[in-house]
């Protein structure tokens, strides 16, 4: 694993650092917009007073902090979607891999980075009673102490079951400025959050308290919703989601391929409205993550 000098110096000096995932770059946004957004995310973190550390596997090497050439490579074609289980395979084959929430959190923890920003978490998939399809994000959050700033779980998932699993796994869930757990494109998924916080310092205080109580080995999920006037229209969301799930089933899409399929379906069928919401989500989360890192 190679840690960029700027990131290593900031971690060693106790300065704020924010990890950023790379699956968003390679699989979550269309080209060439993906590379522009990757740069915007890093700029957002810097503007809020922290050092960005985008994480990916580049030519078989796990990288924490990417230079311009590495960002270009991850934004290109033929990049594997890389969970924790895939890291060793991609490394051994000297390939490029974009890290999921799970893989990013894992590598961030190994690099000593305590705060991570993403879009939406993975979770329990619909029909999981038959398929046992559950994102590896959840198990990973149960063993790394990262503060993960997100906009809840993707609305294409089973939100109720995901919240139940997070509780079972002992992962703390905080609603930032909200009593409702957000559903990625939607401000309110229809389910409450266990705890509410209203300032970065409150999140930092919770993270600090874990060290005294011996619970710092599990993540804190900070659910940061879109503003009401920035969310995707709920009626449009529900119609497109139903159509997308039907299209995925008809095409035989399953497992880790479901999320990129549905995100692409949303982007097309909403005329770009979901893409704009996605970008707003990740930029807001990067900014809040930097503020939390600075307060820690």
């Amino acid at each position: 694993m190679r840690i960029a000098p700027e990131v290593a110096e900031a971690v060693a000096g106790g300065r704020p650092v924010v990890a950023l995932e790379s699956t968003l770059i390679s699989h979550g946004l269309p080209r060439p917009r993906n590379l522009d957004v990757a740069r915007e995310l890093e700029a957002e973190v810097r503007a809020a007073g922290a050092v960005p550390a985008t994480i990916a596997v580049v030519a078989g090497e796990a990288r924490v902090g990417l230079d311009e050439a590495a960002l270009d490579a991850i934004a290109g074609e033929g990049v594997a979607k890389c969970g924790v289980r895939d890291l060793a395979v991609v490394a051994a084959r000297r390939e490029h891999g974009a890290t999921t929430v799970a893989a990013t959190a894992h590598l961030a923890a190994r690099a000593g980075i305590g705060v991570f920003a993403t879009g939406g978490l993975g979770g329990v998939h619909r029909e999981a009673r038959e398929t046992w399809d559950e994102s590896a994000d959840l198990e990973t959050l149960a063993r790394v102490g990262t503060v993960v700033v997100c906009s809840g779980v993707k609305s294409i998932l089973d939100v109720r079951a995901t919240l139940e699993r997070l509780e079972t796994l002992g992962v703390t869930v905080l609603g930032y400025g909200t009593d409702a757990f957000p559903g990625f494109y939607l401000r309110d998924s229809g389910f409450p959050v266990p705890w509410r916080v209203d300032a970065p310092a409150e999140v930092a205080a919770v993270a600090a308290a874990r060290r005294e109580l011996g619970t710092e080995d599990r993540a804190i999920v900070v659910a940061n919703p879109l503003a009401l006037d920035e969310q995707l229209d709920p009626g449009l969301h529900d119609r497109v989601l139903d159509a997308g799930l039907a299209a995925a089933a008809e095409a035989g899409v399953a497992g880790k391929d479901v999320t990129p399929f549905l995100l692409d379906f949303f982007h097309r069928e909403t005329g770009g409205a979901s893409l704009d919401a996605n970008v707003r989500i990740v930029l807001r989360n990067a900014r809040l993550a930097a503020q939390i890192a600075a307060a820690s």
Side-chain angles (χ1 to χ4, degrees):
M1 185 170 74
R2 186 204 306 184
I3 304 175
E6 179 189 23
V7 175
E9 290 169 10
V11 170
R15 298 193 301 279
V17 180
V18 173
L20 300 168
E21 64 149 300
S22 50
T23 294
L24 171 77
I25 302 169
S26 63
H27 295 87
L29 297 170
R31 299 175 181 82
R33 183 83 183 275
N34 59 342
L35 184 57
D36 292 337
V37 173
R39 293 174 177 139
E40 289 171 27
L41 284 170
E42 294 200 344
E44 196 73 31
V45 170
R46 291 189 189 281
V51 173
T54 303
I55 295 178
V57 180
V58 182
E61 182 178 51
R63 302 270 294 270
V64 180
L66 304 184
D67 56 23
E68 194 64 27
L71 271 180
D72 285 341
I74 295 301
E77 301 280 354
V79 178
K81 184 178 180 182
C82 197
V84 174
R85 69 173 186 171
D86 309 304
L87 287 171
V89 179
V90 174
R93 293 181 175 182
R94 302 292 190 265
E95 295 177 355
H96 296 329
T99 51
T100 62
V101 168
T104 305
H106 172 80
L107 293 172
R110 284 180 59 82
I113 300 171
V115 183
F116 163 37
T118 185
L121 294 182
V124 179
H125 286 238
R126 297 167 187 246
E127 311 302 330
R129 289 179 179 83
E130 288 74 37
T131 64
W132 294 84
D133 196 350
E134 176 183 306
S135 171
D137 294 355
L138 303 184
E139 290 283 353
T140 301
L141 296 180
R143 63 172 179 78
V144 299
T146 315
V147 175
V148 181
V149 180
C150 64
S151 291
V153 299
K154 298 177 179 71
S155 51
I156 59 180
L157 303 173
D158 186 329
V159 179
R160 181 195 295 274
T162 301
L163 286 169
E164 291 289 350
R165 285 291 288 144
L166 288 169
E167 179 183 5
T168 299
L169 293 168
V171 175
T172 300
V173 177
L174 308 176
Y176 191 82
T178 182
D179 297 305
F181 190 70
F184 194 55
Y185 294 130
L186 302 179
R187 179 174 177 82
D188 184 351
S189 68
F191 300 94
V193 289
W195 301 99
R196 173 176 175 150
V197 292
D198 292 291
E202 291 185 62
V203 181
V206 173
R210 293 181 309 166
R211 291 189 287 274
E212 296 293 325
L213 299 167
T215 60
E216 72 275 18
D217 59 340
R218 300 187 184 210
I220 295 173
V221 170
V222 180
N224 182 34
L226 282 170
L228 191 61
D229 61 353
E230 292 183 334
Q231 70 174 346
L232 195 63
D233 175 76
L236 175 63
H237 170 274
D238 292 349
R239 291 192 300 274
V240 173
L241 176 57
D242 289 343
L245 290 170
E250 184 177 349
V253 178
K256 67 180 183 180
D257 297 322
V258 171
T259 296
F261 177 92
L262 287 175
L263 289 176
D264 182 62
F265 189 90
F266 261 90
H267 295 165
R268 292 196 317 272
E269 297 300 316
T270 63
S274 68
L275 174 60
D276 292 339
N278 199 347
V279 172
R280 288 194 296 271
I281 285 168
V282 294
L283 290 174
R284 283 167 53 90
N285 291 346
R287 185 186 317 126
L288 177 57
Q291 293 168 348
I292 292 168
S296 298

